[in-house]
Amino acid sequence: MWSQIAVLCSVLLYTVYSQTAGDCVCVPYYQCRANGTVITDGEGLLDERLGDSCQNCKCDGIEICCLLPKNDTVGPRQPDNLTSCGYSNPDGIGRVSAEGSESLFGEFPWMVQLYEDGAYRCGGSLIHPSVVLTAAHCVRFSHNRTYTVRAGEYDTSGTNEIMKHQDRDVSSIKAHEGFREKIYYNDIALVFLSEPLQLKPHINLACLAPSGGISTNTRCYTTGWGKPKFAPNQSSSTILKKVDLPLIGRPDCQKALRKTRVGQYFNLHESFICAGGEKDKDACTGDGGGPLFCPIEDQENRFQQIGVVAWGIECNMEGVPGVYADVSVLRKWIDKEMSSRNYETNVYQPS
């Protein structure tokens, strides 16, 4: 079989060479398109960070998974003096302890969950009482799906948190027009809520990094309820996990990724930023859409979001960074879409 594949690839490459007078190179068969050209954008070779269709839900017999009813009532609209963005609760809220990579209750109050047709789909970050930032690949089927956002969640295995979560229906979704299926360029989307969330100590806004980015000599965090390991039978995390990661510069990230299955001709798109590459520290399946956020210099316990979890090569592989949509590159698009709908943009701008 392998000899037949080799012959076929040789024929294809010879045809392309004859027609275009380009260079012919030898690559693994899975890096060669059907038309005989080398895959340079990773199409078909990237692992997105979507969650399973159902999280922490096992039913017997004819039972099916069903989302619990909302456990809060929609309150009045927020006043103009919104709480400042980006402040964490480093000691958590209440007497809730954490182990290993677990976060504390309310530690990162901008973190939200996105549900699709009643099942957990992705993470996201609250950037306005009525707006969530997530990945475009999380909402690519939005035209025929129903979405709900949950803020203030911590432990998905129960409802005994010291402060209740809040659920909101989604009224509309705007994905970046430049989003590319399978290769995830411009992997960013805004989710607009039917009613604003009530800001609380455990529910607050993320700050967004400005256009131009921040120094790569920075250690940052990503959070989510995704799987700790890349495996079909691996359960998702029930408690919000946090992972500390180093930012990786574009040249080093592209070099590292070219050593994986995407191959030596892979080109890292300008809409991506990278972080990680340390063993057992990574975003993984189910973490898609969640934030990558970094400390704001000289502001204690305050962070700004620099990325959105997009894709990777499996998870937790040493020397292989995870890839995120670059918020600083896409910040102008975010501001434009917010302003066009008369939403304030200063609420996610650190003062």
Side-chain angles (χ1 to χ4, degrees), residues 17-313:
Y17 181 84
S18 300
Q19 293 175 348
T20 65
D23 293 328
C24 181
V25 294
C26 294
V27 297
Y29 70 93
Y30 52 80
Q31 293 176 13
C32 189
R33 297 186 193 275
N35 65 0
T37 59
V38 175
I39 297 174
T40 61
D41 55 18
E43 182 177 3
L45 302 173
L46 312 179
D47 295 321
E48 61 187 15
R49 304 302 201 186
L50 283 180
D52 296 332
S53 60
C54 183
Q55 183 189 34
N56 308 317
C57 182
K58 297 180 180 179
C59 303
D60 297 322
I62 61 174
E63 293 179 333
I64 62 172
C65 294
C66 188
L67 187 65
L68 290 172
K70 300 176 184 179
N71 66 356
D72 73 291
T73 57
V74 176
R77 291 191 175 276
Q78 294 295 314
D80 293 333
N81 55 336
L82 300 172
T83 303
S84 298
C85 66
Y87 282 102
S88 67
N89 296 303
D91 299 321
I93 299 173
R95 298 179 179 274
V96 180
S97 61
E99 298 180 1
S101 61
E102 295 175 352
S103 67
L104 295 166
F105 175 72
E107 186 174 1
F108 306 111
W110 50 83
M111 187 70 196
V112 304
Q113 292 182 319
L114 181 67
Y115 286 82
E116 180 184 86
D117 292 339
Y120 174 76
R121 181 66 168 170
C122 279
S125 55
L126 190 66
I127 64 171
H128 182 283
S130 295
V131 187
V132 166
L133 177 64
T134 189
H137 78 259
C138 294
V139 293
R140 58 189 168 198
F141 304 121
S142 59
H143 63 283
N144 59 355
R145 299 287 194 272
T146 299
Y147 289 90
T148 304
V149 163
R150 174 168 291 180
E153 181 63 282
Y154 175 66
D155 184 351
T156 62
S157 65
T159 57
N160 295 323
E161 287 92 349
I162 190 172
M163 302 183 75
K164 292 183 178 181
H165 61 253
Q166 299 177 29
D167 291 347
R168 296 292 184 270
D169 294 329
V170 172
S171 60
S172 63
I173 295 173
K174 177 62 177 180
H176 197 290
E177 300 84 354
F179 172 66
R180 294 281 302 280
E181 186 78 25
K182 296 184 180 180
I183 54 179
Y184 311 108
Y185 294 173
N186 305 300
D187 192 9
I188 203 168
L190 294 174
V191 175
F192 300 97
L193 309 182
S194 59
E195 293 287 342
L197 289 156
Q198 292 181 291
L199 300 186
K200 303 282 186 178
H202 68 312
I203 300 174
N204 209 340
L205 309 180
C207 295
L208 298 186
S211 298
I214 64 174
S215 170
T216 56
N217 187 26
T218 306
R219 199 161 188 93
C220 305
Y221 292 90
T222 189
T223 49
W225 288 270
K227 296 182 179 182
K229 296 181 180 179
F230 187 78
N233 59 351
Q234 181 71 47
S235 298
S236 297
S237 302
T238 58
I239 293 178
L240 180 65
K241 64 180 181 180
K242 64 176 180 181
V243 182
D244 64 296
L245 303 165
L247 289 184
I248 306 297
R250 289 182 54 80
D252 290 337
C253 182
Q254 180 171 278
K255 182 179 180 181
L257 291 172
R258 284 181 171 183
K259 295 178 181 178
T260 70
R261 65 172 180 252
V262 299
Q264 61 181 317
Y265 301 102
F266 175 77
N267 293 319
L268 186 68
H269 192 256
E270 61 183 6
S271 65
F272 295 132
I273 191 173
C274 302
E278 297 177 346
K279 185 174 175 58
D280 297 329
K281 288 189 175 184
D282 198 3
C284 200
T285 308
D287 290 324
L292 173 68
F293 50 95
C294 309
I296 297 177
E297 189 175 1
D298 299 325
Q299 298 194 49
E300 189 175 6
N301 302 324
R302 200 176 193 192
F303 297 85
Q304 58 187 343
Q305 184 174 348
I306 188 70
V308 176
V309 180
W311 60 271
I313 304 298

